[in-house]
Amino acid sequence: QVQLVESGGGLVQPGGSLRLSCEVSGSAFAVGWFRQAPGKGREAVSCITMGSGNRYYDNAVKNRFTISSDNTKNTVYLQMNSLKPEDTAVYYCAVDSTFAGAHELCRVGPSDGKWGQGTQVTVSS
């Protein structure tokens, strides 16, 4: 059974940067970051297929966020630059273990419905 542990959230000023980490115990074909802002539904941010490195980014974060993986540490990172107040949300990671890949994981979410505990990101001056 896959366990997910997110870390790296915090308070940052607009224009600042943060790096989130998702440590995955267990097998994962793809790993993704999602976020949920207050009063809104959960949305996909970015996903990566672990073997191929194929990546997906939501248009709202393209050219600002970068997803990467360290397969030796079973950890996926989300480098967030040029942060905006609208990036404020709880960020969650999730995995795909059905060989569907990054795009599908970001499109439909995790097939097992499992999420990490989340990490809060607040962008405010």
Side-chain angles (χ1 to χ4, degrees):
Q1 193 168 0
V2 175
Q3 301 292 324
L4 305 165
V5 178
E6 300 102 329
S7 61
L11 172 64
V12 64
Q13 292 187 342
S17 298
L18 282 174
R19 189 178 80 156
L20 306 183
S21 299
C22 173
E23 186 175 350
V24 180
S25 60
S27 65
F29 185 71
V31 179
W33 284 99
F34 299 75
R35 65 186 180 187
Q36 186 165 19
K40 295 187 177 182
R42 198 161 349 205
E43 62 180 12
V45 175
S46 181
C47 297
I48 185 169
T49 303
M50 299 295 278
S52 68
N54 188 32
R55 293 165 170 82
Y56 166 88
Y57 293 99
D58 182 77
N59 285 335
V61 306
K62 273 182 183 176
N63 302 316
R64 298 190 299 124
F65 291 10
T66 302
I67 192 168
S68 63
S69 66
D70 184 338
N71 292 347
T72 65
K73 297 180 180 179
N74 265 12
T75 301
V76 171
Y77 304 98
L78 185 68
Q79 178 66 43
M80 305 187 296
N81 299 329
S82 302
L83 281 161
K84 304 175 181 180
E86 51 263 43
D87 294 317
T88 295
V90 179
Y91 283 70
Y92 301 89
C93 63
V95 304
D96 156 54
S97 299
T98 65
F99 306 105
H103 283 71
E104 192 68 3
L105 174 60
C106 266
R107 189 178 75 84
V108 301
S111 58
D112 61 2
K114 292 183 179 178
W115 305 92
Q117 84 284 357
T119 185
Q120 176 70 47
V121 172
T122 303
V123 185
S124 174
S125 55

